Amino acid sequence: MEKQWNDYMIAPVQAFRLPAYEEIPEVGLYLEQTIKYINRYLAPFPEMALTASMVSNYVKKGVIPGPVKKQYGRDQIASLLFVAVAKVAMSMEDIAQMFGIQAQTYSYAVAYTYFRSELENVLHYVFGLKDSLDYVGKESTQAKTLLRNLIIAVAHKLYLEQYLSILKAQNRDQS
């Protein structure tokens, strides 16, 4: 039973990979294409899924830049991937503030690369796939510390939700 439990808990983490910055389409994607592209990567964690209305709201509130000729480019898609993860633990106002901090410190490409690496690093640690956190990047900045702490909060929330979901399912099965 413990092996099945662990397999169910860690399977989503093992399947979870965000695209590298260079792999994100450089050519613009329309809103529905953008949603499908992003949600395909987020599938192991349904809590992170985006909808068209969510994306429209993020643009309307200025959290991410609006589409150009109704198309979302690489930087916007990278931003949306961050928003999808961050929304698990933060308000939109706080996410917008995180973008402000990032913009003062790193380019989109560098910020997204740190985000992607740190997310995998922390998820693997929290879900027990490795024994310690790796150091990500070359320099130490407040922006990276904030990013790591955000991702730690997200990873722990995902872990707890996954664990409790399994318990509920087991209780239903035993009833």
Side-chain angles (χ1 to χ4, degrees):
M1 182 67 150
E2 187 68 27
K3 181 172 176 8
Q4 290 173 325
W5 180 276
N6 287 336
D7 289 347
Y8 188 76
M9 285 290 292
I10 63 173
V13 175
Q14 289 175 320
F16 189 74
R17 296 285 181 276
L18 292 181
Y21 183 78
E22 301 76 29
E23 295 171 343
I24 297 172
E26 190 172 354
V27 298
L29 299 178
Y30 290 104
L31 180 58
E32 289 303 319
Q33 293 171 313
T34 300
I35 298 301
K36 284 180 185 173
Y37 178 82
I38 289 171
N39 285 343
R40 180 182 57 185
Y41 286 99
L42 303 176
F45 295 106
E47 306 90 329
M48 296 180 191
L50 295 178
T51 65
S53 62
M54 291 166 85
V55 172
S56 296
N57 255 352
Y58 303 150
V59 170
K60 187 174 163 183
K61 292 183 180 202
V63 176
I64 66 156
V68 177
K69 297 181 182 177
K70 297 186 180 187
Q71 295 181 332
Y72 294 85
R74 180 179 285 157
D75 289 346
Q76 292 155 311
I77 293 169
S79 295
L80 284 168
L81 284 162
F82 173 79
V83 169
V85 172
K87 75 179 176 67
V88 171
M90 293 182 86
S91 69
M92 278 306 115
E93 183 178 289
D94 290 342
I95 292 170
Q97 190 171 9
M98 291 283 286
F99 277 129
I101 293 166
Q102 167 265 309
Q104 294 173 359
T105 313
Y106 300 112
S107 68
Y108 275 102
V110 171
Y112 177 80
T113 300
Y114 282 152
F115 159 67
R116 178 180 177 261
S117 298
E118 194 69 86
L119 183 59
E120 185 174 320
N121 178 35
V122 172
L123 283 172
H124 283 227
Y125 173 71
V126 168
F127 280 78
L129 294 171
K130 63 187 202 176
D131 294 330
S132 62
L133 288 172
D134 298 330
Y135 186 78
V136 173
K138 295 178 183 169
E139 72 275 340
S140 179
T141 64
Q142 187 64 34
K144 280 179 56 186
T145 301
L146 288 170
L147 176 66
R148 176 170 273 194
N149 284 307
L150 164 62
I151 292 173
I152 288 170
V154 168
H156 282 288
K157 189 165 191 293
L158 292 171
Y159 180 91
L160 290 169
E161 288 174 355
Q162 188 76 3
Y163 189 95
L164 294 173
S165 175
I166 292 167
L167 282 179
K168 287 177 192 174
Q170 284 182 339
N171 288 339
R172 276 193 308 270
D173 291 346
Q174 292 174 357
S175 299

